[in-house]
Amino acid sequence: MARLTAFPAFFRVSHRTVAVVGAGPAAAAKLRLLGETDASLRVIACEPSAELLADAARLNAEIVRETFEPRHVAGAALVFAATEIEAQDRAVAEAARAAGVPVNVVDRPELCDFITPAIVNRAPLAVAIGTEGAAPVLARHVRARIEAMLAPETGRLASLAESLRGVVADLLPAAESRRRFWAKLFDGPVAARALAGDEPVARAEAMRMMAAEPDVAGFVWLVGAGPGATDLLTLRAQRLLQEADVIVHDALVPQEVISMGRRDAERVSVGKRKGAHEVSQAEIGDILVREARAGRRVVRLKSGDPLVFGRAGEEMAALDAAGVSYEIVPGVTAAFASAASAKAPLTLRGVSSSLVFATGHDLDGRTLPDWAGLALGGATVAVYMGRSVAGAVAERLVEAGLSPDTPAAAIENASRADETIFMGRLRDLPALAERGDVTGPVLILIGRALGEAAEHAGAEPLAPQDGRAIVAA
């Protein structure tokens, strides 16, 4: 993940002086932003504009009609240099630093100790969006979207939660109990009552929840992480990652997805790749049972969908045998993500009315896999984990009678930034296993419906450019 060059933080300014140096529109804009706090505002300007004077009067800000001097920033919590004249702004910044006061210089990120984010105000809740000075227009766009998502009444819920913090700490001393209480409060009837303005009933319901028997039972969610793109993760999966005490994840789940979990959640890697099993399947079941019996909320994070070649059945059996409660949270499976990337239909009226999910590793000597007959009948076949046996898959299907000209595609790292799409025919598939540059997970699609795929400008050919057939008819 990219690293931030600035650390997001909130300054306490309540009843402390914040100084704005400047007389024009930039100073007025900063003053209006600061007016959303209860800081004591001071404006230093020899000739303040009418706009600035009007804002200062409305916000009860002090106006100092003097040429800026270093004494004007003494004792301030923050300083904003907004003269819009570089030399003057630089002098303000130097004076603030000499006094040990953090300074922000409008439109001069290289002179700033801190940046000013776009703010969504739902006091006492605040959401700050910053782009480290690179693209303030983007921050404003994101702010508009969050403004639309976050109801104006959210502040009522935040105020209720703030007022309950002390009581919750006293009645629920265990951190895990507190975390579960807050999760229920923010996603249940208490939140609904608070957002509707019925604070007394919301408070009474919250107190009832605290007095109830604490929920100490562990739980396991088998969660599909999707093909890898973070924005293909389901909303439910995102929410559960934030609630989990433990995240047990596979090797194919990208770090960007794992990082969407609660920061203090324990991460347990049980990665399994072909030929390199870090943890056995039996051990994974033991981990899930052990953590749930300890009263922890466990997310078992699997690439794609848990029920499609994710060995969820074995983990469900282990949980059932141990009497541990669990739920399945589906994810976008690789076949769907791959077809979307290749712009290839998986079913097509009059061409293919069935879809087969298969694994290339069910080949047994010269035996035709069970799904081969469906492919011969016109079904589209999605072959998981099939790169190394692509040649054998193609050979068996051609021997059984499927035309070597049947459209085929292979997608490496579907939906991710390093995705690669290969397009060609069934006869070309053996070339895939010979490529040393294909190291990520690959899904193979075979079927006549793929012949209707939209032309993909970024696709690479499956076969060598000299056009030699690798599988003969």
Side-chain angles (χ1 to χ4, degrees), residues 36-37 119-127 143 147 152:
E36 297 190 32
T37 74
I119 295 174
V120 178
N121 184 359
R122 298 291 186 266
L125 175 71
V127 180
R143 175 199 171 192
E147 286 273 11

Side-chain angles (χ1 to χ4, degrees), residues 115 129-139:
I115 59 176
I129 307 105
T131 60
E132 302 184 328
V137 137
L138 174 60

Side-chain angles (χ1 to χ4, degrees), residues 9 57 125 144 148 153 167 215 342 380 430 452:
L125 175 71
E153 297 79 14
V167 182
D215 179 12
T380 302
E452 301 298 320

Side-chain angles (χ1 to χ4, degrees), residues 92-182:
V92 173
E94 291 172 354
R97 288 198 182 93
V101 181
V103 62
N104 174 275
V105 182
V106 175
D107 292 334
R108 298 282 179 184
E110 73 279 5
L111 299 179
C112 293
D113 293 327
F114 65 93
I115 59 176
T116 306
I119 295 174
V120 178
N121 184 359
R122 298 291 186 266
L125 175 71
V127 180
I129 307 105
T131 60
E132 302 184 328
V137 137
L138 174 60
R140 290 195 292 271
H141 173 72
V142 173
R143 175 199 171 192
R145 297 184 65 176
I146 294 176
E147 286 273 11
M149 294 168 57
L150 211 54
E153 297 79 14
T154 304
R156 298 172 181 170
L157 180 57
S159 295
L160 174 64
E162 179 64 25
S163 71
L164 292 172
R165 284 181 64 187
V167 182
V168 172
D170 290 339
L171 295 182
L172 302 174
E176 194 166 303
S177 297
R178 290 199 301 272
R179 186 162 54 245
R180 294 186 186 183
F181 168 80
W182 290 121

